[in-house]
Amino acid sequence: MGRFGLHRTGSVAYKRYLRSQAWGYRRVRWFADCRQAGHEPACQVCGITLTRAGTLDLHHVSYKGVGQDEEGRWQAREAHNDLMPLCRDHHQRLHQIMDGKKEFFGWDRRRATIVIVARMIRQSQA
């Protein structure tokens, strides 16, 4: 399947991936690995922790490692740093900005994510 462009985050295939068993396991493993390393997962914008929030989203900074095998089964081999924890509100806001502003069309997904998250942090501190 390869990498998705910024305009493809709402695609049917991507939505199927997010409902897949592979993504479910990868998501659980990401949070477990983070805690095992001694870090409590927290939203990168507001700092609310997984324990306090009850749940956090994982934003794909990159889709490298996401694909399907020959039988069409999803493969979730994202690198740890290709996923970023965000509370639901900030994740939705990130996508509104990333997918809705022409400024970010054609940008590398990692670069766009970093710029937008930095802006959201500055706005929350103002």
Side-chain angles (χ1 to χ4, degrees):
M1 164 114 15
R3 296 175 77 153
F4 295 92
L6 293 177
H7 63 287
R8 301 264 323 269
T9 56
S11 73
V12 173
Y14 182 64
K15 288 178 183 178
R16 273 190 242 132
Y17 172 65
L18 292 180
R19 290 190 299 268
S20 74
Q21 189 175 45
W23 169 243
Y25 288 147
R26 178 64 185 107
R27 187 178 185 285
V28 168
R29 191 174 76 243
W30 190 94
F31 286 112
D33 289 350
C34 191
R35 283 182 163 159
Q36 186 174 10
H39 306 288
E40 176 64 18
C43 175
Q44 298 300 291
V45 177
C46 66
I48 192 166
T49 65
L50 177 60
T51 300
R52 188 161 164 234
T55 188
L56 291 172
D57 291 352
L58 283 178
H59 172 72
H60 279 88
V61 175
S62 169
Y63 292 110
K64 188 175 180 183
V66 176
Q68 291 178 290
D69 65 15
E70 298 79 33
E71 287 81 41
R73 291 180 299 236
W74 286 104
Q75 303 295 305
R77 296 186 177 121
E78 299 93 334
H80 188 78
N81 65 352
D82 284 343
L83 299 169
M84 177 186 286
L86 295 166
C87 68
R88 176 63 47 94
D89 288 341
H90 286 122
H91 193 200
Q92 288 176 343
R93 181 71 182 132
L94 171 70
H95 278 283
Q96 286 172 346
I97 295 167
M98 184 181 286
D99 299 338
K101 290 196 175 200
K102 290 181 183 178
E103 172 185 2
F104 297 105
F105 290 176
W107 280 39
D108 171 77
R109 188 173 179 83
R110 181 177 305 279
R111 180 175 172 228
T113 296
I114 292 167
V115 168
I116 295 166
V117 167
R119 286 180 187 175
M120 290 193 303
I121 290 169
R122 280 195 302 274
Q123 289 172 351
S124 71
Q125 294 173 344

